Structures are given as structure tokens and as C-alpha cells.
Amino acid sequence: MNGLSFPFESYGVSHTGCVRSVNEDNYLVEPESGLWLVADGMGGHDAGEVASASIVHHLATMGIASSAPDLRARFEDRLARAHAEIRQISEARGITIGSTVAALLAIDGRFACMWSGDSRVYLVRRGVISQVSRDHTEVQELLDQGVITASEARVWPRRNVITRAVGVSDDIVLDIEQGEIIPGDVFVLGTDGLTAHVSDDEIRETVAAAAPEQACQVLLQTVLARGGTDNVTIVVVRMLDGSEPHRRRAGISTTGNGGMP
């Protein structure tokens, strides 16, 4: 176990949804390394799956960090390797492919959330949910500029157009938010297939009422019941206090028919 100051439990699921035939999402649950992430690939012709898988493949080699700066350095190094690989694949195929990434890093009682694209990280603390990440999308830029309202943004024709992703430009551009971890904190990482169908309040209520495994399954079933128009990937990480049972779970990935891949 890494330098987390208290026990935790985590779980992840991924599903093709009800419309798509290929799941271009991937996720990684590496509690020993203090790393959890989701990635949503793009590019067509199944290339998005290649991009998100490259991120997971390289980040899975991080190992155990000795400190918070070391953990961040390992993360950035592995992500840079994935970025280079995705760029090489894009050049070889003559197409542009890439992937969002939203990651939670935790060590020594602190967390860092790093992201590129519109996959999100939420923090539920003391019954209040906040979106830690900020979408890298055209619609978010329009919102920030006051050009459109929040209600208009929900139906904006180009609301799914992202402005950043790993592998699509010469350099990786990540945003980061850092802070102290408090026992009872719950982090929720999700691709836009989750947030397209489930509200922030519904996410908060679900993770407040259930352990990570059950919360992931409830959120997934909610998405599917509402049409599941995109791939959906969810990772839930709950920081426990000393009185709670410690059930660290790595999670599973489910396919379109609900079975193991």
C-alpha cells in the first residue's frame, strides 16, 4: 500500500452502453500506486479504443512512488509515453486519434486530480458534491465567456466537442487541482457517458448511500435505463475512517451484455 494515511475502498466499471458497438473507454484502478483514472478514446475505426488502452497500459507501469512529487513525476512520465505512442499510431494510420484522461493521485494524505478533455472528477465531501475538474470543451468556453447559459449548454449542438485530449497535438496540456484528503471523502471519476444521463445530485445521493462497488453498479444501471447513448465508465474511490471495514476492490469491466469480457 502507498502512503495513504487511512484505508480506502475503490471499484470501477465500464460498459459499451446501449447504442455503440465498441467500447472506446478504458479505466485503471491501481490502489497500490495511489492511482485511479478513466480515459475516453476518440478517432473512429476503433482507433479510440487503441488510444485509451495505450494510456492505461503505460500508467499501469508506474510502480510505488516514494513521495507526492515522485508520484506526479511517474504519472506525467507514463502519460508522456502514451502520448508519444498515440501520436505514432496516428501518423502510421493517417488519422487523428486521441483520448481524454481524468486521474486521481493520492499519497501521504493528499490528492491531486489531473485531466485533459471532458471526462470528470467529482469530490463528495460531507454530503456536498463538487466538480473538481473543468471540462475542456467548446461549450464550456462559451459558458465561461457568457455567450450561452447553462440551460442552453445542455442542448448545444457542439456540446461534445472537446478542446484538449492526449495524443491530438504536439504537447500534452493537463490541468491539476490538489488538496488534503479527509476521511469520508468520495471521489467519482466518469466519462461523459455517465454525466450525459446522470445529474450531479444523483451521483452524490448514490455514492452517499452505497459502497463503491454497489454505487458503480447503480450508476451504470441508471445510465443504461436512460438509453446509454455513449460508452460509460465509472470509478468510485471512498476514503474510510478507522472504524469502517476495509474492502479494497480492483473492480471489473463489463461488456454490452453485462458479462465479463
Side-chain angles (χ1 to χ4, degrees):
M1 186 175 178
N2 75 350
L4 283 168
S5 301
F6 25 77
F8 60 93
E9 56 182 341
S10 58
Y11 201 80
V13 292
S14 189
H15 198 285
T16 55
C18 301
V19 176
R20 304 290 180 90
S21 59
V22 174
N23 190 353
E24 295 187 313
D25 286 1
N26 269 285
Y27 74 94
L28 184 64
V29 173
E30 288 285 334
E32 302 298 336
S33 299
L35 171 67
W36 298 262
L37 70 83
V38 297
D40 182 356
M42 60 182 189
H45 306 292
D46 300 342
E49 181 181 9
V50 173
S52 62
S54 176
I55 291 174
V56 167
H57 169 74
H58 286 285
L59 268 297
T61 70
M62 275 190 16
I64 309 301
S66 60
S67 64
D70 183 34
L71 179 60
R72 179 173 174 178
R74 287 170 183 250
F75 175 84
E76 292 177 342
D77 172 74
R78 290 350 184 250
L79 192 62
R81 297 183 195 184
H83 177 78
E85 181 176 74
I86 295 167
R87 297 283 286 169
Q88 290 171 358
I89 295 170
S90 293
E91 184 176 351
R93 297 190 180 187
I95 58 175
T96 299
I97 67 173
S99 177
T100 72
V101 65
L104 167 67
L105 289 72
I107 191 170
D108 295 335
R110 293 188 59 81
F111 74 86
C113 295
M114 303 180 72
W115 71 94
S116 180
D118 63 350
S119 293
R120 293 180 179 177
V121 183
Y122 290 94
L123 170 60
V124 180
R125 172 175 287 176
R126 299 185 178 122
V128 177
I129 188 170
S130 59
Q131 184 179 330
V132 180
S133 61
R134 189 170 185 81
D135 296 349
H136 298 139
T137 59
E138 285 189 5
V139 73
Q140 185 63 57
E141 291 180 357
L142 293 172
L143 275 169
D144 293 344
Q145 296 164 10
V147 175
I148 61 174
T149 65
S151 59
E152 290 172 329
R154 285 191 287 270
V155 295
W156 196 254
R158 290 171 58 85
R159 62 187 177 278
N160 294 323
V161 177
I162 61 175
T163 55
R164 294 188 200 174
V166 177
V168 299
S169 57
D170 291 339
D171 300 313
I172 303 174
V173 182
L174 295 171
D175 280 352
I176 181 170
E177 288 289 341
Q178 305 177 75
E180 299 280 343
I181 296 172
I182 296 175
D185 282 350
V186 182
F187 293 90
V188 181
L189 290 70
T191 58
D192 62 345
L194 169 67
T195 52
H197 295 285
V198 183
S199 70
D200 291 4
D201 281 341
E202 289 174 319
I203 293 172
R204 174 186 57 80
E205 291 170 1
T206 301
V207 302
E213 179 177 358
Q214 183 183 359
C216 283
Q217 298 294 352
V218 169
L219 290 170
L220 174 59
Q221 293 307 314
T222 301
V223 169
L224 298 179
R226 294 174 180 176
T229 55
D230 199 354
N231 306 147
V232 55
T233 300
I234 309 155
V235 171
V236 177
V237 185
R238 184 181 181 205
M239 304 301 176
L240 308 176
D241 62 38
S243 64
E244 294 180 279
H246 183 195
R247 300 182 300 275
R248 284 162 50 199
R249 297 298 302 275
I252 61 173
S253 176
T254 58
T255 61
N257 61 10
M260 292 292 289

